[in-house]
Amino acid sequence: MSRDHGGPWWQQGVIYQIYPRSFQDTDGDGVGDLPGIQRRLDYVHSLGVEAIWLSPIYPSPMADFGYDVADYTDVDPIFGTLEDFDRLLAACHQRGLKLILDLVPNHTSDQHPWFLESRSSRDNPKRDWYIWRDPAPGSSPDRPLPPNNWRSFFGGPAWTYDEATGQFYLHQFLKEQPELNYRNPEVLAAMLDVMRFWLARGVDGFRVDVLWLLMKDPEFRDEPPNPDWDGVDPHQGLLHIHTQNRPEVHPIIRRMRAVMDAFTRNTGRERVMIGEIYLPIPDLVNYYGENGDECHLPFNFHLLDTPWQAQAVRRLVDTYEAALPAGAWPNWVLGNHDRSRVASRLGQAQARVAQMLLLTLRGTPTCYYGDELGMEDVPIPLAQMQDPRALNQPEIAHLVGRDPARTPMQWDDSPHAGFCAPDVEPWLPLAADFPSRNVEVQSQNPTSMLRLFQALACLRRTEPALHRGRYRAVEAVPHPASVFAYLREHGTGRFLMVLNFGQAEHLLDFRHLGAQGTIRVSTDMRTQGPVSLAELPLAPNQGLVIQL
Ligand code: NOJ
């Protein structure tokens, strides 16, 4: 397949997120592992993606399934060993795939040796590595009051009292995830060493967890109530002006980026830093840095929350494109391990349109494992729920629980879909539809979602207009509100995307763009070939990639 090397790999290719617990079990414990990922690498390669991002694989008590790290420089036995990791990395590189790790700098596990030391006494040298505060005024020894009103994303206060030392520590997630203190320079130095450890092993980049939360108000002021709160998730009842998006976070990010850049320079291999940042667009784009010296890709999650209507999505794309600083490279995300799956949010027909949008917009696309099959959220009965966010808040578990989007990958129609051995219980139940929705079935069906994904990813790789061309929204005449059309152009390459977000058929007139075009991909995976741009038929829920 020919390839245009006009920019770094992280601009040109697709990132594929693997949730390691759920991809492939090989050692019979019902939990996926690194040898399992290696076994499935040819599949990942066949998708036409560029890079794999692995959710955390480090030793962890798994209170938050690996986002509670007890050792930043090793692999949890549940996933394998460091040698397994090295083998996986080499196997990726042999296939031309990049490997991106999840870095979790904001908090550790409460079992991390740093925290065990920190909590051991008030004068321990690591005391100040975490965020400790005295009880609020008005506390009594048997009724210590939290230092302020800050709340955890996972329910309850963001503070837990440590009886032995008489202070509270901060955690915006579980109490098992104490937050590191980035006002202490030793902490950043230690985290930069963690990055160097993995970069020296050869990893191609990091997705950095909750990057916009790293710094908190030095005065620990109360957060004001959120006047627009819908009354559902208590965490959203406050405006997080003192715990999120603090200006002091930017110098920290620049230091992290400098480590990445040093490895890029010294090895001649581009490394990428991706930031997990849930912020409105004007704030989000600040995370590229004033001189492009922060994140290469601050994750753009706005497709997850924008109403799925053609004009709303068009406004989103145009607003984002216009907000990008000079030289900043865009990116788009349709799903991840924290959010409802795209096929459940939009339905199967529109999930195809969404994949076409994701893979034809300007900017790096991120695809969550299984979304290429249209895997759906799996309802998890209370007794089988695993996600601490749901278990801590049973009254809103059905709204905030993340297990439904983390179920095992659907490989084939054998017991447990080939994810684990027939006599092994998978850590989360399989979707009921796995006998018909799986890799094996969809590989053989030329009109499947999988084949659509592969066709789009392949076209994107081979056509410079699609992986690096300009973007411009265009009018579809007679202006149906449910159609979003745009061009991608590079040199003589020119593509028109026409996406029908609705249920009505349309006959569209694009003759201002030329007389004829060629349909290269249709979401139905049937329609192909020359079309008249003066009379272009568009079926309900249909998306078209037309070469002009
Ligand atoms: C964001 C991660 O994506 C999520 O899964 C995790 O629970 C929190 N950060 C805490 O690390």
Side-chain angles (χ1 to χ4, degrees):
M1 202 185 282
S2 79
R3 190 75 203 283
D4 182 302
H5 290 284
W9 61 265
W10 51 267
Q11 295 185 350
Q12 299 205 26
V14 180
I15 297 171
Y16 184 71
Q17 181 191 355
I18 291 180
Y19 196 66
R21 294 183 73 83
S22 301
F23 208 56
Q24 177 67 59
D25 176 28
T26 60
D27 61 358
D29 59 2
V31 175
D33 43 49
L34 298 183
I37 296 170
Q38 188 170 340
R39 190 202 282 177
R40 298 296 190 177
L41 269 193
D42 286 334
Y43 167 72
V44 176
H45 189 232
S46 80
L47 294 175
V49 302
E50 183 79 32
I52 296 174
W53 149 36
L54 294 182
S55 283
I57 54 167
Y58 316 108
S60 163
M62 301 288 166
D64 189 21
F65 296 112
Y67 285 96
D68 48 325
V69 178
D71 178 353
Y72 285 100
T73 55
D74 205 346
V75 170
D76 194 282
I78 208 163
F79 297 127
T81 62
L82 261 183
E83 290 67 44
D84 290 328
F85 175 79
D86 289 340
R87 276 191 285 273
L88 174 62
L89 184 61
C92 285
H93 286 169
Q94 266 161 25
R95 291 167 176 80
L97 286 166
K98 310 291 187 298
L99 191 60
I100 298 169
L101 287 186
D102 213 312
L103 183 74
V104 190
N106 180 63
H107 42 269
T108 68
S109 159
D110 64 345
Q111 299 308 307
H112 195 293
W114 297 343
F115 188 68
L116 296 179
E117 276 194 55
S118 183
R119 81 182 308 172
S120 68
S121 77
R122 282 198 190 203
D123 53 11
N124 183 280
K126 291 226 165 45
R127 183 67 170 183
D128 185 49
W129 279 41
Y130 291 82
I131 299 173
W132 292 96
R133 301 291 290 170
D134 287 335
S139 298
S140 60
D142 53 341
R143 220 176 117 261
L145 300 173
N148 63 25
N149 73 345
W150 295 357
R151 289 182 192 159
S152 159
F153 280 88
F154 291 171
W159 297 97
T160 286
Y161 187 61
D162 179 57
E163 288 223 357
T165 58
Q167 285 190 307
F168 283 86
Y169 65 87
L170 179 71
H171 56 85
Q172 296 184 73
F173 296 93
L174 298 175
K175 68 179 187 342
E176 291 85 358
Q177 293 167 295
E179 303 212 2
L180 286 160
N181 176 17
Y182 279 87
R183 293 186 190 273
N184 181 331
E186 292 174 14
V187 171
L188 179 59
M191 202 49 68
L192 300 183
D193 279 345
V194 168
M195 295 172 73
R196 292 186 187 102
F197 173 88
W198 292 105
L199 292 167
R201 269 196 127 74
V203 306
D204 298 286
F206 294 106
R207 171 269 190 191
V208 189
D209 193 62
V210 297
L211 193 52
W212 84 118
L213 306 188
L214 285 194
M215 295 298 269
K216 349 287 168 187
D217 177 31
E219 295 172 46
F220 293 91
R221 286 168 288 184
D222 274 356
E223 295 194 312
N226 174 1
D228 301 323
W229 186 40
D230 60 7
V232 180
D233 180 352
H235 184 260
Q236 290 177 16
L238 297 177
L239 292 176
H240 301 294
I241 56 172
H242 297 315
T243 51
Q244 303 191 359
N245 194 27
R246 305 265 328 163
E248 310 93 295
V249 77
H250 294 284
I252 306 276
I253 301 174
R254 287 198 285 275
R255 295 280 305 279
M256 292 177 159
R257 170 63 182 268
V259 170
M260 314 286 301
D261 286 352
F263 271 85
T264 297
R265 261 196 319 275
N266 296 339
T267 62
R269 284 177 39 217
E270 279 275 343
R271 318 289 172 115
V272 69
M273 185 160 102
I274 308 172
E276 187 203 21
I277 300 160
Y278 283 91
L279 282 175
I281 288 171
D283 297 315
L284 176 67
V285 296
N286 290 333
Y287 285 75
Y288 285 102
E290 273 174 27
N291 304 303
D293 51 4
E294 296 186 26
C295 296
H296 296 97
L297 303 174
F299 258 150
N300 166 10
F301 294 120
H302 288 275
L303 282 176
L304 294 167
D305 292 316
T306 300
W308 193 251
Q309 294 153 6
Q311 298 316 311
V313 171
R314 174 184 174 160
R315 266 194 306 279
L316 164 66
V317 178
D318 287 348
T319 306
Y320 178 65
E321 282 275 353
L324 289 169
W329 186 254
N331 77 91
W332 298 95
V333 176
L334 266 188
N336 63 34
H337 63 293
D338 294 327
R339 303 298 290 260
S340 179
R341 281 194 180 269
V342 58
S344 293
R345 296 198 314 270
L346 309 181
Q348 289 293 342
Q350 281 298 314
R352 287 180 176 241
V353 175
Q355 289 299 354
M356 184 170 276
L357 176 78
L358 177 78
L359 293 166
T360 56
L361 279 177
R362 194 175 80 94
T364 304
T366 299
C367 171
Y368 183 50
Y369 85 93
D371 281 354
E372 74 277 20
L373 307 174
M375 271 176 63
E376 296 180 358
D377 290 345
V378 179
I380 309 287
L382 197 60
Q384 283 171 283
M385 266 185 207
Q386 307 279 342
D387 180 13
R389 187 180 186 196
L391 295 171
N392 276 4
Q393 311 177 90
E395 52 315 328
I396 53 168
H398 59 293
L399 295 173
V400 300
R402 300 170 295 175
D403 294 327
R406 297 176 174 181
T407 59
M409 179 68 175
Q410 297 164 203
W411 296 106
D412 54 41
D413 63 1
S414 68
H416 307 317
F419 165 70
C420 58
D423 56 337
V424 168
E425 201 50 38
W427 80 285
L428 278 175
L430 265 296
D433 67 359
F434 83 79
S436 55
R437 185 182 308 287
N438 62 56
V439 170
E440 196 173 273
V441 165
Q442 292 202 15
S443 304
Q444 283 153 25
N445 174 358
T447 65
S448 67
M449 176 96 84
L450 175 58
R451 296 286 285 269
L452 169 65
F453 184 94
Q454 288 170 321
L456 289 167
C458 176
L459 194 63
R460 183 186 174 92
R461 274 175 97 92
T462 48
E463 293 293 344
L466 290 178
H467 63 249
R468 53 193 286 237
R470 294 180 302 281
Y471 155 89
R472 176 161 64 94
V474 290
E475 299 305 325
V477 180
H479 307 289
S482 57
V483 173
F484 175 27
Y486 51 96
L487 287 175
R488 299 290 312 282
E489 298 167 293
H490 180 80
T492 53
R494 224 169 156 226
F495 285 80
L496 168 67
M497 270 55 67
V498 188
L499 306 182
N500 189 350
F501 285 56
Q503 310 301 316
E505 252 177 73
H506 299 284
L507 194 59
L508 299 171
D509 179 352
F510 284 103
R511 84 184 79 176
H512 59 292
L513 299 174
Q516 266 219 336
T518 307
I519 298 177
R520 296 293 304 274
V521 184
S522 161
T523 46
D524 61 24
M525 289 297 282
R526 286 195 186 92
T527 321
Q528 275 216 330
V531 276
S532 154
L533 295 180
E535 285 189 321
L536 176 72
L538 188 67
N541 301 309
Q542 188 178 31
L544 296 172
V545 178
I546 302 170
Q547 188 161 17
L548 300 182

